[in-house]
Amino acid sequence: MSTLTVKEKEQILSADTVELVNKFNNKELTSVEIVSTYIEHNRKVNPEINAIVEERYEKALEEAKKADERKTNGLLRGIPITVKEAIHVKEMKTTGGLEQRQDLIAREDAKVIRKLKESGAIILGKTNTPALCFCQETENKLYGRTNNPWDVNRTAGGSSGGEGAILATGGAAAGIGSDIGGSIRFPAHFNGIIGFKPGMNQVSTKGHFPSVLHPLQERMLSIGPMGKSVRDMEFIYSILGNETFGTRYLQDFKIEILPGNNSYPLSGEQHVLLDQIEETLSKTYSTRRCVPPYLEESALLWQEVMSIEGSKPIEKAAFNNVRSNVYSAFLREKLTQRTNIHPYLSWAIIGSKLFKPSAGRIREIHEIIKKGDQMLEEYLQHRLLVFPVYHKGALPHGKVYQEIFSIRKSFLQYMPYVAYANIWGLPSLTIPVGKDENNMPVAIQIMSINGNEDAIFRLGKIIEKKFRGYIRCTRYE
């Protein structure tokens, strides 16, 4: 039985990883106290938000006892985290939200999980995703829908939506998500947490399901940390990353903020916040409003790259043991709601077939990206970009899906902000900076090229301090 007071437990839930590491190392808190606090909390909040879909609480407590006995080592020794369901954790399920995979147990850890375990981290559980991570809202036939803790009638985003939701309530010290189309940044923006999408080839994606096979898709997929502070993102990224990043001073950088009156939708509240960020930063740093190269092309390039081969690997994974094809499954689900493939997934696969680029167009895309990489490598050498994440805060369930997966190609309006970092393989840090008209969190993202992560984190800490940053959702206490 925990001897901690209610206030002490609340402090644990609000604390970031760095603070908990310090308190554990200074023997102000035991790992058992920390882990027990999260378990108690998550059992209370998870029925409302449906974020954690598989827990390992008993094993986590056993590992916490070993950490307290100093039988484990590492920078994250004794610290509990959650992990996106798409990432293999040995002896836990990796289902992709598919009913036909509900008994599949991972035989080995993904490389990032191996690094985290070697650092002493304790895994509390795995969190919900859309089916095969193929949507920016988190809902599937196996585990159901994840709700935004600030308003359960609104989306938690996706595909790392379970992570975003549980971390918003303080349900772990930090979490691990993945991002091929805003999948860390949408949930960070909608739930009011911090998220970091590493740049291309900086963190191993081995052990992620579904995997990506095409090199153009591979450059867009990243696994990265999600949590409660910018310093946590920096700390955990230093554990996960393939390379160390050098010191970069903000005085050596130009900060370019996307104009609020660009050709893409943006809420009035976010217009104001971008103006306020410019005003704050311009007092100390070289700051201007401008549109970076290749923004206009990015959303279409992203959609075409996602649609290479008409998403055959995704379709195969979804329909391998199902007696129907994608078209009949989608129609039958719309009529009866009795198939085991979620319509979000079926429609996304159909969309990929519609937007599938030809062999000639793929060659063109390779050339565009080759030229764009060269230009941006030079352009971003001493530049940081500040973008919105989405045009509004969390929308009611189903609305983001309708905006992005419309046959009218509305993704061209709504995806440029996030697609930019994916198609160009840029590291991107997401930080909550305020609220929208519905009292929901909204965020900005900071981007540059690989090697400039230190500058991204430095600017992130300034914006985090001056604006909203992480505020824990306490509606369930």
Side-chain angles (χ1 to χ4, degrees):
M1 189 75 179
S2 174
T3 57
L4 296 175
T5 65
V6 170
K7 186 177 180 181
E8 286 170 330
K9 289 178 181 178
E10 289 173 351
Q11 289 171 343
I12 288 172
L13 296 174
S14 296
D16 67 357
T17 301
V18 172
E19 182 179 348
L20 291 176
V21 166
N22 290 335
K23 288 192 173 182
F24 174 75
N25 289 338
N26 294 333
K27 298 187 178 180
E28 296 173 48
L29 286 171
T30 67
S31 180
V32 168
E33 287 173 331
I34 297 168
V35 171
S36 297
T37 298
Y38 284 122
I39 292 172
E40 179 187 346
H41 171 78
N42 291 345
R43 282 179 170 152
K44 182 166 60 176
V45 305
N46 200 56
E48 284 276 338
I49 61 173
N50 190 34
I52 294 175
V53 293
E54 185 182 4
E55 46 89 351
R56 60 186 301 277
Y57 293 156
E58 288 185 16
K59 289 182 180 177
L61 283 169
E62 290 171 11
E63 290 166 11
K65 289 173 186 174
K66 289 179 182 177
D68 287 335
E69 293 165 0
R70 292 333 196 229
K71 291 179 180 177
T72 59
N73 295 299
L75 293 170
L76 288 171
R77 180 175 61 183
I79 304 302
I81 64 170
T82 46
V83 177
K84 184 177 183 176
E85 211 267 359
I87 300 167
H88 289 327
V89 176
K90 188 177 179 181
E91 298 178 354
M92 296 190 79
K93 298 175 184 179
T94 309
T95 68
L98 300 176
E99 291 181 346
Q100 66 265 32
R101 289 181 58 93
Q102 62 186 296
D103 298 320
L104 292 182
I105 307 293
R107 295 181 180 180
E108 58 182 33
D109 290 320
K111 191 168 182 181
V112 291
I113 300 302
R114 215 159 49 236
K115 286 188 174 185
L116 289 163
K117 285 183 175 179
E118 287 168 359
S119 75
I122 295 171
I123 296 171
L124 286 173
K126 296 186 81 175
T127 53
N128 205 17
T129 72
L132 295 177
C133 299
F134 216 40
C135 185
Q136 284 83 357
E137 294 202 49
T138 294
E139 184 173 347
N140 62 68
K141 286 282 188 169
L142 179 59
Y143 294 124
R145 185 172 70 192
T146 296
N147 299 316
N148 191 305
W150 296 97
D151 180 347
V152 294
N153 297 306
R154 295 178 181 272
T155 183
S159 60
S160 309
E163 279 302 316
I166 199 64
L167 290 168
T169 74
I176 304 297
S178 61
D179 189 316
I180 197 171
S183 296
I184 285 173
R185 290 163 291 152
F186 273 105
H189 171 73
F190 288 155
N191 295 283
I193 69 163
I194 315 288
F196 181 64
K197 182 201 90 67
M200 58 183 172
N201 306 320
Q202 297 305 295
V203 174
S204 172
T205 57
K206 186 179 179 183
H208 185 282
F209 177 78
S211 59
V212 291
L213 304 175
H214 197 282
L216 289 175
Q217 295 173 345
E218 195 173 359
R219 65 183 272 131
M220 298 206 306
L221 176 64
S222 297
I223 292 176
M226 302 170 70
K228 304 170 185 174
S229 69
V230 173
R231 68 178 182 176
D232 270 12
M233 301 300 97
E234 184 177 16
F235 178 47
I236 297 170
Y237 178 58
S238 72
I239 294 169
L240 300 181
N242 296 328
E243 302 172 14
T244 56
F245 49 92
T247 302
R248 299 286 188 275
Y249 296 108
L250 286 181
Q251 286 78 4
D252 299 330
F253 283 80
K254 294 177 180 177
I255 300 169
E256 297 188 345
I257 302 169
L258 198 67
N261 60 348
N262 63 74
S263 57
Y264 306 108
L266 192 66
S267 69
E269 289 75 16
Q270 291 188 84
H271 273 283
V272 171
L273 286 164
L274 285 176
D275 290 344
Q276 290 173 348
I277 289 168
E278 179 192 19
E279 184 182 352
T280 298
L281 297 178
S282 63
K283 293 173 183 175
T284 311
Y285 304 103
S286 173
T287 307
R288 68 172 184 154
R289 305 296 284 270
C290 67
V291 177
Y294 288 97
L295 176 61
E296 190 174 336
E297 299 92 329
S298 295
L300 180 58
L301 287 170
W302 171 80
Q303 178 64 68
E304 289 178 314
V305 170
M306 288 298 292
S307 301
I308 286 174
E309 298 182 349
S311 296
K312 267 187 185 176
I314 296 288
E315 184 177 6
K316 184 178 178 183
F319 291 92
N320 192 30
N321 296 313
V322 178
R323 293 180 180 178
S324 64
N325 62 40
V326 62
Y327 300 101
S328 61
F330 179 73
L331 290 172
R332 196 160 71 250
E333 177 66 25
K334 284 294 183 185
L335 292 170
T336 69
Q337 297 184 335
R338 290 180 183 172
T339 69
N340 59 0
I341 301 296
H342 198 282
Y344 287 2
L345 176 59
S346 300
W347 183 243
I349 294 170
I350 292 170
S352 289
K353 293 179 183 295
L354 294 172
F355 294 116
K356 178 183 174 182
S358 66
R361 176 58 180 166
I362 292 173
R363 286 192 293 271
E364 287 179 11
I365 291 169
H366 275 287
E367 282 302 310
I368 293 168
I369 288 179
K370 183 180 177 182
K371 289 178 183 176
D373 281 347
Q374 291 171 349
M375 177 180 280
L376 289 174
E377 181 71 26
E378 183 178 344
Y379 185 82
L380 295 175
Q381 198 66 234
H382 295 287
R383 281 183 172 90
L384 299 172
L385 307 179
V386 176
F387 274 28
V389 177
Y390 203 56
H391 70 103
K392 284 194 172 185
L395 298 174
H397 292 293
K399 296 296 184 183
V400 175
Y401 160 75
Q402 289 171 7
E403 289 183 345
I404 295 175
F405 289 92
S406 169
I407 197 73
R408 297 187 301 275
K409 296 187 179 181
S410 53
F411 71 89
L412 292 171
Q413 285 183 285
Y414 298 117
M415 280 300 293
Y417 300 141
V418 294
Y420 195 79
N422 291 112
I423 198 66
W424 302 113
L426 306 178
S428 177
L429 175 67
T430 302
I431 306 156
V433 291
K435 295 186 289 187
D436 70 3
E437 71 275 16
N438 297 307
N439 217 30
M440 300 300 288
V442 291
I444 55 94
Q445 53 181 328
I446 306 167
M447 295 172 280
S448 191
I449 51 171
N450 287 341
N452 285 342
E453 290 90 346
D454 184 57
I456 290 173
F457 292 132
R458 286 174 187 264
L459 180 58
K461 288 171 188 172
I462 291 169
I463 291 175
E464 174 185 46
K465 186 176 180 180
K466 297 282 187 181
F467 293 85
R468 183 185 187 276
Y470 173 83
I471 298 172
R472 186 167 68 85
C473 177
T474 58
R475 287 182 64 240
Y476 307 91
E477 293 165 20

